């Protein structure tokens, strides 16, 4: 398949979503994929069509997942919840996992993967961080290092055991979901990468390669490996 079709759930309903979606689309296009924006409808017919028409799925960054989804009371420091997106993405992710489709989860997407598999999140890492992990002024430049598990898919793709990454998160993975392995962590020990043991292709990162990739070829490799896995 020359141009695999990759499903990208619509990033909310505000007019700004186009601005946030564009970097992902650019990186997927450059990797040779054909991105397809999926509307946030959780009806069984829509999910079935997405599974039939897409070769893989990218779960992108965005607003905090409602804490109810992992059994906690939502703290006021959290973003306003987006129930429609939570609902659709959790249903789509479960369907994609059942179908063993390649998945790439970024930022919120990595937290979604953890929650979908029964894990929990730290609702605010503000008082635990040594580096500034919520750093929107440096979207396209590295602000903290991560160590990579040399046995991980991530390390194999990047051919390295360390990486410098940008950071746009104020929450972090806490208890790990079922079957997940930590493939990268920050100096404080926050998980920055997850993988699913024994799964064909499941890559999840807490940072945002879509902003770094235009100037940092290593980050584009993640989109390339994902697209190649979808072929
Ligand atoms: Mn970080």
């Amino acid at each position: 398949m020359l141009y695999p079709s990759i499903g990208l759930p619509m990033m909310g309903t505000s007019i700004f979503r186009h601005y946030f979606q564009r970097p992902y689309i650019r990186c997927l296009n450059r990797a040779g994929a054909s991105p397809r924006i999926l509307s946030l409808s959780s009806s069984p017919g829509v999910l079935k069509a997405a599974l039939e028409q897409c070769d893989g799925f990218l779960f992108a960054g965005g607003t905090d997942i409602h804490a109810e989804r992992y059994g906690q009371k939502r703290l006021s420091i959290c973003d306003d919840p987006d129930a429609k997106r939570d609902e659709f993405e959790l249903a789509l992710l479960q369907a994609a996992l059942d179908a063993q489709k390649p998945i790439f989860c970024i930022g919120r997407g990595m937290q979604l993967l953890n929650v979908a598999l029964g894990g929990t999140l730290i609702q605010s890492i503000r008082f635990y961080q040594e580096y500034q992990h919520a750093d929107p002024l440096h979207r396209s430049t590295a602000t903290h290092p991560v160590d990579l598990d040399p046995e991980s898919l991530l390390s194999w793709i990047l051919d390295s055991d360390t990486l410098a990454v940008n950071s746009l998160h104020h929450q972090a993975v806490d208890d790990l979901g079922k079957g997940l392995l930590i493939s990268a962590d920050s100096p404080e020990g926050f998980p920055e990468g997850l993988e699913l043991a024994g799964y064909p292709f499941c890559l999840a990162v807490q940072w945002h390669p879509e902003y770094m990739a235009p100037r940092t070829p290593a980050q584009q490799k993640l989109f390339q490996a994902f697209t190649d896995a979808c072929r």
Side-chain angles (χ1 to χ4, degrees):
M1 191 184 318
L2 199 49
Y3 304 109
S5 176
I6 291 175
L8 176 67
M10 194 177 276
M11 294 173 67
T13 48
S14 97
I15 53 164
F16 299 112
R17 71 183 161 81
H18 299 288
Y19 172 77
F20 290 112
Q21 274 168 194
R22 198 180 305 133
Y24 295 95
I25 291 168
R26 194 173 49 193
C27 292
L28 287 171
N29 281 331
R30 196 181 297 127
S34 176
R36 184 186 285 251
I37 303 295
L38 307 174
S39 62
L40 304 178
S41 161
S42 305
S43 77
V46 170
L47 286 171
K48 188 165 174 282
L51 261 289
E52 282 170 5
Q53 292 168 17
C54 298
D55 303 300
F57 296 94
L58 192 154
F59 294 89
T63 212
D64 297 340
I65 297 157
H66 199 306
E68 274 177 0
R69 296 282 180 180
Y70 45 95
Q72 293 181 12
K73 192 167 157 15
R74 182 178 156 268
L75 304 180
S76 59
I77 198 165
C78 295
D79 300 338
D80 290 337
D82 184 344
K84 211 171 171 190
R85 189 170 171 196
D86 287 354
E87 181 75 25
F88 176 71
E89 288 193 333
L90 283 166
L92 180 68
L93 178 55
Q94 196 54 62
L97 289 170
D98 291 345
Q100 303 252 299
K101 296 262 188 178
I103 53 174
F104 186 15
C105 302
I106 294 175
R108 164 193 160 94
M110 176 170 122
Q111 298 173 359
L112 187 85
L113 176 69
N114 192 50
V115 170
L117 293 169
T120 63
L121 305 178
I122 302 174
Q123 292 190 46
S124 173
I125 58 172
R126 201 163 137 196
F127 299 113
Y128 309 111
Q129 63 186 13
E130 292 163 24
Y131 288 85
Q132 171 60 274
H133 286 267
D135 193 351
L137 295 180
H138 300 98
R139 278 173 195 270
S140 59
T141 51
T143 59
H144 74 73
V146 293
D147 286 329
L148 310 181
D149 176 348
E151 302 294 313
S152 64
L153 171 67
L154 185 61
S155 173
W156 180 78
I157 293 168
L158 297 169
D159 193 22
S160 177
D161 58 7
T162 182
L163 188 70
V165 301
N166 59 357
S167 203
L168 296 166
H169 60 112
H170 78 114
Q171 300 192 326
V173 164
D174 195 3
D175 291 336
L176 269 189
K178 195 164 178 283
L180 290 171
L181 306 169
I182 296 171
S183 56
D185 63 0
S186 74
E188 303 95 326
F190 299 136
E192 292 269 348
L194 296 178
E195 294 177 13
L196 196 47
Y199 191 86
F201 188 99
C202 171
L203 192 63
V205 297
Q206 183 61 76
W207 69 90
H208 287 271
E210 75 279 12
Y211 288 118
M212 293 185 74
R215 289 194 299 172
T216 312
Q219 301 283 352
Q220 178 64 22
K221 282 186 186 175
L222 302 180
F223 292 94
Q224 192 63 59
F226 170 54
T227 301
D228 291 345
C230 294
R231 285 209 169 91

